[in-house]
Amino acid sequence: MVKNLNEALSNFSDRITDAIKAGKDISITTHIDCDGITSGSIITKALIRAGAKVTARTVKEMNGSVIKNMQQDSRDFHIVTDLGGGFARQLDEALGEQWLVLDHHEIPDEEHDNDRVINAWKYGINGGTEICAGGMAYFASKALDRHNTDLAPIAVVSALGDRQDQGEKKSFTGKNAEIVEEAKSGGRLQIDMDLLLVGRETRQLVDALAFTSQPFIEGLTWSRDSCFSLFKSAGISLKDGGRFRTPSDLTDDEKRVLIEAITKFASSQNATQIMDELIGHTYTFPSEERRSFLRDAREFSTMLNSCGRIGRAGVGMAICMGDRNRMLQEGENILVEYRKMIREYMNILTNERWRINGTTSCVMVNGEGVIPETMTGTISSLLAGSPKNAGKIIILRTDGEENTVKFSSRKSIGCKTDVNLSVLMKTGAEKFNGIGGGHDAAAGARITKDKLDGFLDFLEDSVNGIQNQNNS
Ligand code: C5P
């Protein structure tokens, strides 16, 4: 059994090199979110460079029918990225030895013995904070050819997409820090300490401040009018000639003035904490054009997430693999559409109060008939960022494909519960013949509709039960 990452990656490289030499067709199956798109693109690009015949596709989740498709597929060898935890036995049964998984989600103990599963946790690396699937794919691509270091920027995007910038001032730790260093030393990444406003390169100033929800500033966040007044009274011009200015246009002096204005505005709230959260590391790709949504790595990750969430993951993969022509415009349109959809869904959830049921430890949100299943992760993350839900677990559900219900859960800011959401979703869903999994602070599940009441009772009992024990 392989015990360290380098050995696992060297095995990966040997197996892929043999497969290419044998003329095998290789298929890559990856997840639709930012980490899935980036990891799938990194490995696809590395394989194409190595001379492989390769086809990539994205799926919403790993399940029995995806595995059946892989089995019936004409391809000879299968690589799975950002997916597959808990499915090793089924993959073995369907594909024999002709598969490999590169992943970072928590996995059951029995998969630690399977060398086809190349998962961060097996090598003592925290897959929740120190590396994601994009990082695993990056190291695998480097094992194939050390010249693949030019793919490091895409791995940085993946880590931001999975919110692994959890070190001091939004820095990276562990293997992610190594990746960031490699991207930086190759001149492909610039790191600064700056204001963490969303849409640094593309959003006009008022929108950038209004739509920044971490930190949440009561009275400013989601209020364009107050943000407009704040910029006006601070004397910061919103336009440069006929063009709206974005956060990346602010001078150092203007940034200082803006920080002072926000501190003053937030003085009755926890201003020190707000300012602490509002300033941190930013990650910029100098070779991307100014005011492009690909220049700021966080915006890049948002664009990839939006591609996947609205069913256009292929556009994201093309961009990650270097397409800067038609796909760029497509990506921009997708981002606009995605933001519009988010606003609509959040409005409905705010107006239709019957959809939200809260206890002191948990908020259950019913998105049935409104939120498409691909958007549950985005919406549950947003709900988890709202101060109204601080300290609580968010569990959002909506109707999914084929008579199922899709669940997405998140720990909100300040949530101190001992409940591990990955365990909760996995063991809970399995009790009701469903599937679930993920991370300690972000996990999902799917069950059939007929099991809904039972599963909801289970969730409430588990969350409140453990909470009560903690309080006693
Ligand atoms: O769907 P959602 O965004 O809520 O999922 C949160 C995390 O849990 C993601 O990283 C996703 O890949 C993971 N997940 C999983 N198994 C599932 C559902 C979600 O590993 N069945």
Side-chain angles (χ1 to χ4, degrees):
M1 195 184 70
V2 176
K3 286 222 165 65
N4 76 66
L5 178 63
N6 285 343
E7 200 187 331
L9 294 175
S10 149
N11 284 354
F12 173 89
S13 170
D14 291 347
R15 291 214 61 196
I16 298 300
T17 309
D18 289 348
I20 295 172
K21 275 192 195 139
K24 287 186 177 173
D25 279 340
I26 302 178
S27 108
I28 290 160
T29 303
T30 195
H31 191 211
I32 56 161
D33 72 2
C34 170
D35 192 23
I37 292 173
T38 47
S39 52
S41 307
I42 289 172
I43 218 66
T44 303
K45 186 138 191 175
L47 260 71
I48 291 172
R49 284 175 173 172
K53 285 183 278 179
V54 43
T55 321
R57 66 170 178 160
T58 55
V59 294
K60 283 200 275 268
E61 68 190 11
M62 182 53 77
N63 57 39
S65 69
V66 170
I67 294 177
K68 201 160 166 207
N69 280 339
M70 289 163 85
Q71 188 179 21
Q72 288 167 352
D73 193 296
S74 60
R75 275 69 182 195
D76 316 292
F77 194 88
H78 301 263
I79 300 174
V80 178
T81 49
D82 197 34
L83 291 167
F87 286 88
R89 196 178 43 78
Q90 288 186 52
L91 287 164
D92 271 337
E93 281 165 13
L95 308 169
E97 295 201 341
Q98 301 307 310
W99 62 276
L100 287 169
V101 163
L102 289 165
D103 193 22
H104 70 125
H105 292 97
E106 291 180 39
I107 46 170
D109 288 345
E110 67 264 20
E111 297 202 349
H112 283 244
D113 296 335
N114 190 326
D115 285 341
R116 286 175 282 289
V117 177
I118 305 177
N119 184 304
W121 292 96
K122 291 172 64 165
Y123 320 112
I125 304 167
N126 184 323
T129 55
E130 291 177 351
I131 197 166
C132 55
M136 294 295 289
Y138 171 67
F139 285 114
S141 76
K142 269 204 333 175
L144 269 175
D145 184 338
R146 63 189 172 83
H147 293 108
N148 283 327
T149 43
D150 65 326
L151 302 176
I154 302 298
V156 174
V157 174
S158 70
L160 288 167
D162 262 15
R163 305 204 174 186
Q164 295 197 334
D165 51 342
Q166 291 175 26
E168 182 78 5
K169 289 272 166 219
K170 301 261 177 214
S171 59
F172 286 107
T173 56
K175 294 302 251 182
N176 281 327
E178 242 177 77
I179 297 170
V180 161
E181 255 333 290
E182 287 179 17
K184 201 174 135 192
S185 64
R188 297 184 178 91
L189 177 69
Q190 184 186 316
I191 304 176
D192 297 293
M193 188 64 82
D194 204 344
L195 276 170
L196 297 172
L197 296 179
V198 298
R200 260 177 85 230
E201 294 282 343
T202 63
R203 288 206 159 194
Q204 51 169 298
L205 289 166
V206 167
D207 284 356
L209 182 57
F211 294 112
T212 296
S213 56
Q214 271 175 338
F216 196 102
I217 309 166
E218 206 70 60
L220 277 186
T221 306
W222 299 343
S223 167
R224 294 184 79 245
D225 291 347
S226 328
C227 292
F228 179 80
S229 309
L230 185 128
F231 277 108
K232 278 278 156 214
S233 59
I236 298 173
S237 48
L238 298 173
K239 279 190 164 181
D240 179 5
R243 182 183 66 78
F244 280 107
R245 300 174 77 214
T246 67
S248 64
D249 294 319
L250 291 173
T251 63
D252 286 346
D253 274 346
E254 286 175 318
K255 282 177 198 166
R256 260 191 296 278
V257 171
L258 179 58
I259 289 169
E260 263 170 40
I262 296 174
T263 312
K264 209 161 129 204
F265 185 95
S267 58
S268 62
Q269 304 170 44
N270 194 346
T272 321
Q273 196 189 335
I274 287 174
M275 290 330 295
D276 194 46
E277 278 185 57
L278 202 57
I279 296 165
H281 289 97
T282 55
Y283 303 88
T284 309
F285 301 133
S287 64
E288 300 292 351
E289 281 184 24
R290 287 216 57 197
R291 287 185 271 284
S292 145
F293 57 86
L294 304 183
R295 190 170 162 96
D296 176 76
R298 288 194 177 89
E299 282 203 271
F300 197 148
S301 76
T302 306
M303 189 276 302
L304 293 182
N305 261 322
S306 57
C307 287
R309 301 295 180 193
I310 68 170
R312 308 287 310 278
V315 173
M317 287 196 75
I319 292 173
C320 286
M321 289 174 68
D323 192 327
R324 294 288 178 277
N325 295 317
R326 200 167 55 84
M327 288 301 159
L328 212 55
Q329 185 57 48
E330 288 275 316
E332 206 163 332
N333 299 343
I334 287 169
L335 203 50
V336 172
E337 193 183 335
Y338 175 71
R339 285 176 179 156
K340 196 170 129 233
M341 284 165 80
I342 291 176
R343 274 200 300 278
E344 265 173 39
Y345 303 144
M346 290 303 280
N347 277 341
I348 294 175
L349 292 183
T350 313
N351 293 334
E352 298 180 8
R353 287 170 175 267
W354 59 270
R355 291 182 178 275
I356 302 186
N357 255 312
T359 66
T360 49
S361 50
C362 178
V363 182
M364 304 287 265
V365 185
N366 181 347
E368 279 171 24
V370 174
I371 299 172
E373 61 170 294
T374 49
M375 292 287 285
T376 50
T378 308
I379 302 297
S380 63
S381 294
L382 270 175
L383 292 169
S386 161
K388 262 195 283 186
N389 299 325
K392 298 183 185 183
I393 291 175
I394 312 295
I395 301 179
L396 169 67
R397 71 173 186 278
T398 196
D399 21 35
E401 275 173 357
E402 293 171 10
N403 236 5
T404 60
V405 185
K406 156 83 185 149
F407 283 79
S408 175
S409 63
R410 296 286 184 273
K411 284 186 184 173
S412 64
I413 358 161
C415 180
K416 301 245 163 35
T417 174
D418 287 340
V419 177
N420 178 324
L421 294 181
S422 166
V423 175
L424 178 76
M425 286 290 156
K426 185 172 186 329
T427 51
E430 280 169 3
K431 264 188 217 296
F432 296 90
N433 301 330
I435 49 170
H439 308 282
D440 173 34
R446 182 187 302 282
I447 51 154
T448 52
K449 270 196 175 136
D450 55 314
K451 303 284 192 315
L452 178 61
D453 289 341
F455 188 54
L456 284 175
D457 287 344
F458 165 84
L459 290 175
E460 278 180 25
D461 287 352
S462 313
V463 173
N464 297 319
I466 293 181
Q467 210 68 65
N468 292 341
Q469 278 167 28
N470 284 348
N471 292 342
S472 62

